[in-house]
Amino acid sequence: MSDFLKKTLILARKGEPLAYPNPLVGAILVKNGKIIGQGYHKKFGSPHAEVVAINNCVKKGNNPENSTLYVNLEPCSHHGKTPPCTNLIIEKGIKKVVFAVKDPNPKVKGLEVLKKIGIETTYGQLAKTATELNKVFFKYQKTGLPYLTLKIASSYNFKIWSPKITKITGLESQKFTHRLRAKSTSVLTGINTILKDDPLLTTRLVKGENPTPIILDGSLKIPPKSNVLKNKKTIICTEKKSSKKNVLTFTTLSNLKPILKKLATLGHTNILVEGGQKITSSFLQQKLADKIIIFISDKKLGQQGLRAILPKTLPNLKITDIKKIGEDIVMELRNL
């Protein structure tokens, strides 16, 4: 049983990043110990994994009746952009459904619907792995907040900017960052980074969709010709009143949680933060980062270099991964 569930997790990953903000889901139909159909949720708004697997089964000339459906997330039972998956499961006579973890969305009652109709339904195996796969979706459904990855690129003396050095990390680390962007709905930075570096915040070094840039700019100082404004979806968060499109006004930008909640309601559920010292320190102080990724280069920045974070802002962390990328070291950390 767990082998088929493991395969659904592998299939589910193929939907990254186009499935967002929907969860990553893979599904497999098994009959007499053999896979007779499979599929995954390819893109937001497209058919769900269960439907794709059933259609794949029929297309191959197989009959899904009396088969077992394996899926990494509880099948949906409500109308959204697509009809309920439970309807098709019942219609096709599938006798058993095995899923890894329950859907945290309160609208989803797949387990209840299937059991009520008499379909054998079990769940719980690989629940931790399945939850981790869809950590972005689970966090938003449970807290209303986006999943937040804080990225820091520093010299080996833990400085992030110098007037003399424009690129701290090497090309491979830059590509890694662009892959992080491709997996994110949005990339957030502050006005100081815009004024100093004028970044593009795109995925130009890899294949993938550009994330939506989000700029924290309390006084609306962003220059009209800034590179990020080439992206028409760019959002500016400010304390100034404005009638301009894509400008969100808040009482203060110092309290980040209400800003994040608002952004999440607009679909920005997986945010990569690429800020300077002030932005990075604020997210750390307010304990809002789910994951911290630190790139450490072999360069040393001198006296004029800007420290990565303000003193005493780094929380208690545990290192979950460490590896070498090109000439740089990359560490992944999470809060204890």
Side-chain angles (χ1 to χ4, degrees):
M1 185 184 294
S2 61
D3 286 343
F4 291 127
L5 275 179
K6 284 178 183 176
K7 287 179 181 179
T8 68
L9 293 167
I10 294 168
L11 277 172
R13 288 188 180 278
K14 292 184 177 183
E16 198 172 36
L18 298 180
Y20 292 128
N22 280 353
L24 302 172
V25 183
I28 292 174
L29 278 169
V30 176
K31 200 171 188 179
N32 300 323
K34 294 182 179 180
I35 295 173
I36 60 171
Q38 60 184 8
Y40 64 95
H41 182 45
K42 295 181 180 180
K43 188 177 181 180
F44 178 65
S46 69
H48 289 186
E50 298 93 327
V51 176
V52 177
I54 291 169
N55 289 342
N56 174 254
C57 171
V58 174
K59 188 177 180 180
K60 287 181 175 180
N62 296 319
N63 185 356
E65 189 175 358
N66 292 321
S67 65
T68 299
L69 173 68
Y70 292 87
V71 60
N72 58 292
L73 188 68
E74 179 183 8
C76 73
S77 56
H78 65 292
H79 282 273
K81 284 189 174 291
T82 59
C85 292
T86 50
N87 286 7
L88 191 62
I89 292 169
I90 295 165
E91 179 190 322
K92 294 298 180 181
I94 292 168
K95 70 172 183 179
K96 183 177 180 180
V97 175
V98 180
F99 62 90
V101 66
K102 289 196 71 176
D103 193 316
N105 185 342
K107 293 180 181 178
V108 175
K109 306 289 183 184
L111 178 64
E112 294 177 24
V113 170
L114 295 173
K115 279 195 168 184
K116 189 175 181 180
I117 208 73
I119 296 173
E120 184 183 350
T121 310
T122 62
Y123 71 97
Q125 285 196 46
L126 302 178
K128 187 176 180 180
T129 307
T131 303
E132 176 65 19
L133 173 67
N134 280 307
K135 54 186 179 291
V136 173
F137 177 73
F138 272 75
K139 185 181 181 188
Y140 175 62
Q141 290 295 331
K142 290 181 176 181
T143 67
L145 288 166
Y147 188 89
L148 199 139
T149 301
L150 189 62
K151 174 241 166 184
I152 302 171
S154 82
S155 62
Y156 75 78
N157 57 335
F158 212 47
K159 294 188 176 182
I160 59 170
W161 181 85
S162 167
K164 296 181 180 179
I165 298 177
T166 55
K167 297 290 184 184
I168 296 175
T169 55
L171 179 60
E172 292 307 309
S173 289
Q174 291 166 37
K175 286 181 179 179
F176 189 95
T177 296
H178 284 219
R179 283 192 288 272
L180 289 175
R181 290 177 184 172
K183 292 179 180 180
S184 304
T185 56
S186 341
V187 57
L188 183 150
T189 193
I191 185 60
N192 289 338
T193 296
I194 300 299
L195 296 176
K196 284 178 181 177
D197 301 334
D198 194 22
L200 289 162
L201 302 180
T202 64
T203 59
R204 62 194 178 278
L205 298 181
V206 299
K207 288 183 179 180
E209 297 283 327
N210 288 328
T212 298
I214 299 169
I215 316 302
L216 300 188
D217 180 8
S219 301
L220 281 181
K221 295 189 293 185
I222 188 166
K225 293 187 178 180
S226 298
N227 280 324
V228 289
L229 295 182
K230 293 176 182 177
N231 186 329
K232 301 303 179 185
K233 295 180 181 179
T234 296
I235 291 174
I236 300 171
C237 299
T238 185
E239 295 172 359
K240 298 284 186 181
K241 289 185 178 180
S242 174
S243 59
K244 291 182 179 179
K245 186 181 178 181
N246 292 349
V247 174
L248 302 177
T249 302
F250 297 89
T251 305
T252 176
L253 297 189
S254 298
N255 184 5
L256 294 167
K257 187 175 280 189
I259 298 170
L260 294 176
K261 284 209 167 193
K262 176 64 177 178
L263 290 169
T265 64
L266 298 175
H268 304 284
T269 55
N270 189 11
I271 299 177
L272 175 66
V273 177
E274 295 188 49
Q277 182 192 74
K278 184 179 177 182
I279 293 289
T280 300
S281 298
S282 295
F283 277 98
L284 289 172
Q285 286 169 337
Q286 295 179 43
K287 298 180 179 179
L288 292 168
D290 294 285
K291 184 193 296 182
I292 302 165
I293 297 177
I294 303 177
F295 296 82
I296 303 173
S297 77
D298 60 355
K299 296 184 177 72
K300 181 180 180 181
L301 302 187
Q303 293 294 324
Q304 290 181 297
L306 182 67
R307 287 183 62 84
I309 58 173
L310 293 169
K312 299 180 181 180
T313 55
L314 201 61
N316 291 326
L317 302 167
K318 63 177 179 180
I319 297 173
T320 55
D321 192 21
I322 184 166
K323 56 192 169 189
K324 191 171 176 63
I325 296 182
E327 298 301 315
D328 306 320
I329 299 295
V330 181
M331 289 194 299
E332 183 179 301
L333 307 98
R334 298 195 185 189
N335 292 315
L336 284 172

